[in-house]
C-alpha cells in the first residue's frame, strides 16, 4: 500500500523531546499472594520518575494472582520497574500499553476496536 | 521475553516521594450485619491520612454481608485500617486495588480488560 | 493472608477530621404511597447537616413502593434521618452505601464489580 | 436492624435551609395529543421558581402519549405544576424522582440498581 | 393520588421569565431526498432565536429519509421552524423533546427509562 | 397534528447569523484504497473555513473502503468539500449529519434513538 | 444526489492553515515480539512534530502481535513514522483514523456507526 506523503527538507519543529520519555506503562503480571499488591505498589512508587501506581487484581487462584499494574510518571524506567517486580516474585506476562512523549496520549477509539 | 531498555547512569529525577504513600485502597470485606457499614465508615474516616471512605454493600445474606470499601487519603496506613475492620468483626477477603505515589493514577483501559 | 506493612511510630498527619462526619448516605426504603416522596424529601432536606436529597422510585406495587434515597451533606445524622423516615411510614430495608470523611470519595471500579 | 449512631446534644450546623425547597421534579404523565408538549412546557416554564423544563415523549398511541417531564428550579411548587398539567388535560401517572435542599444531589449508583 | 403540598400565599420568586422561551426542540421529520439536510439546516439556522441546528439522518429509503432535527437557541419559534420544514417538503412526524425556560434542563435519568 | 403556537408580530432577536454557516459535516464516503485517507484529510484541511478533519475507516474490501469523514469549521463549504472528494476518486454515499448556526449543537438523545 | 450549495465568489476566511498538518494518526500494525512496544514507542516519540504516542496490544500470537498505535502532535510526518515502524520490523496493516487541520476534531457519532 503506497503512501504519497514525503517529509524531505522540512525544518525540525521544536516540540518533540530530545530524549524519549516513558509516561505511562501498563503491565499484566502474574504474582504469588505474598508479598501483596500493597507492598509492590509502594516499592514501585518510590522509583525515579514515577508519579503514581495503580495495581488492580483481576484474578485470584489458589497460589497465584493476575494483576494489572498501571504506572504514570515523567520518566518511567522500565528496567528498574521490571527488576522490582521480579525481585518481589512477580513475572511480567505482557506489556499491554505504553505511552511515551511530552504528553500522555489516549488511544483513539476506532470501529476496529 | 527480553527487554532491551537499560537505565544505568541516569540522574534521579526529583518527582518520586522519599517515602511511598498509599493514596487509595479498595478492599473486599465480609462482615456481620452489626455493627453496620455506617459505624465502620465512621471509624475508618478518623484514621490518620484518610480523606474519605466509601462503603458499598453488594451482597446481603442471612447473617453476613459482602461490602466493598474504598478509602482515599494522603497517606493511608493499611495496618490501622485492617485493625479497625477486624476489631469491628469484619474479615478482609481481598485487596482488590491499591494506588500509591504522589498522585492517584487511574487504571488505563486495555483490550485485555 | 499476612500483610507486611506496619505503621508504628509514624507522626499523625493533620488531614483526618477529629469527629467522623457522614457525607453521603444511600438507603433502600419501602414506603406506603402516602405521604409521597416529595413530602419525605422535603422533611429530610431541613434536617441539620443536609445539603440535598434525591428520592428515586424504582418499583411501585398496589400498596407500597420501593424507593432509593440519596442524601449528601456536611454532617448527616443517621438517627434523625431514620426517625423522619419511620415517622412518615417508611421502613429502611438496607443501607446500601455510605461516604464519610473530609471529602466524598467515589467507589473505585474493580473487575470484581 | 439496630443502628448505633445517636445525635443527641449536637449543635445544629447552619447548612440546611429553614424552608425545604424542591429543586428538581420528574413526573411520568399521560396526556392527549393536544395541547402538545410545547404548549405544556411553555406553561410550566413561567411558573414561579422554575428555571427550566424538559418534556420528552417516550410513547405515542392513537389517542394519548406518555411523556416524562423534568423540571429544575430554585423553589418548584408541586401544586401549581400539578394544576397546570391537569388544566391542560394531562394526568400525573407517578412522581419518579424528586430532589430537595440547597443543592441538587444526584442519585448515587449502587450494585442494587 | 393526593399530594399534601400547597403553595397558597407564597411570594413570587423572580427567577422565572415573564414570557416562556423555547430553548431546545427535537423533531422527528420525514423528508424527500431533495432538498438535502444541508439546505434545511441552513434555512433553519437563520431563523430568529436559533443558535444552532443539528440534523442527523437515521433512515434512508428509496424516496424518503427520516431525520432527527435538534435546534437550540435563546427563543425558538416553533411556527417558523414548522413552516420552513413544510416549505422544503418535510413533514414533522412528531415533537420528541422540548426544553423551555431560563436554562436548558437535561432529562433526569430514572429506573423507568 | 395541529400546533397552537404562533409567532406573529414578535421583534427579531439579534442572535441568529445573517448568513447561515455550516459548522460540522459528517459524510459516508466510498473510496478506492489510493489515494489514502491521509492524503484526502490533508486536502480537505486546507479548504477555507475548515478547522479540522477526522477520517475514520470502518470497512475495507479488496478494492474499496468505506470511510466516515467528520469536518468542523467556522464556515464549511460543501461544494468545495464534495469536489475535493470527487477529484480524489471518492463518492459521497450520504450526508449523515450536519450542524449549522452560531454554535455546534449536539443531537439531543431521545427514547426514539 | 445533487447538492444545491455553491461557494463561488466567497472571500477566503483566514482560519485554515496554509500547509495541511497531520495532528493525529491511528495505525493497525503487525509486529514481531522484539523489539517490544516500549522500544517502538520511544523511537516514535522523538520524531519531529510528535507530542505523544500510545501503543496498545490487542492480540498476541506465538510469533507476532497486533498493536494499535495512536500518535498525536502538531505536525506528524507519516513517512518518518512509517520508516521507524518498518525499520523496527513492523508492518502497517492499515491506517484506521487520521485527524488533520488546526485542531483535532473528534468523529461525530451517528446512527450509522
Amino acid at each position: 500500500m503506497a503512501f504519497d506523503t514525503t517529509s524531505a527538507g522540512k525544518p525540525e519543529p521544536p516540540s518533540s523531546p530530545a530524549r524519549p520519555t516513558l509516561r505511562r506503562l501498563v503491565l499484566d503480571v502474574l504474582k504469588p499472594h505474598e508479598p501483596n499488591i500493597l507492598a509492590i505498589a509502594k516499592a514501585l512508587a518510590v522509583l525515579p520518575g514515577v508519579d503514581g501506581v495503580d495495581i488492580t487484581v483481576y484474578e485470584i487462584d489458589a497460589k497465584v494472582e493476575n494483576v494489572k499494574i498501571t504506572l504514570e510518571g515523567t520518566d518511567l524506567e522500565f528496567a528498574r520497574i521490571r527488576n522490582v517486580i521480579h525481585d518481589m516474585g512477580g513475572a511480567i506476562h505482557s506489556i499491554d500499553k505504553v505511552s511515551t512523549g511530552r504528553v500522555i496520549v489516549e488511544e483513539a477509539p476506532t470501529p476496529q476496536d
Side-chain angles (χ1 to χ4, degrees), chain A:
Chain A
M1 188 155 64
F3 298 109
D4 68 343
T5 46
T6 60
S7 63
K10 203 166 285 176
E12 299 293 333
S15 74
S16 306
R19 186 170 65 79
T21 51
L22 176 56
R23 303 303 310 279
R24 180 169 63 183
L25 178 64
V26 180
L27 304 172
D28 183 347
V29 170
L30 187 69
K31 64 176 282 300
H33 294 317
E34 292 307 323
N36 67 17
I37 58 174
L38 179 48
I40 295 179
K42 285 192 168 183
L44 291 172
V46 291
L47 288 177
V50 174
D51 288 337
V53 181
D54 175 284
I55 301 185
T56 299
V57 177
Y58 65 88
E59 210 168 322
I60 298 183
D61 294 327
K63 290 194 175 149
V64 290
E65 52 196 45
N66 292 82
V67 302
K68 178 178 169 186
I69 301 182
T70 302
L71 302 97
E72 284 188 21
T74 50
D75 190 6
L76 302 175
E77 298 177 36
F78 179 76
R80 293 187 193 244
I81 293 165
R82 178 198 58 205
N83 295 344
V84 163
I85 292 170
H86 286 184
D87 295 349
M88 299 181 83
I92 297 176
H93 174 257
S94 61
I95 304 179
D96 290 345
K97 176 188 273 287
V98 295
S99 306
T100 55
R102 237 170 20 84
V103 295
I104 292 183
V105 157
E106 293 301 334
E107 181 193 341
T110 61
Q112 291 73 17
D113 294 346

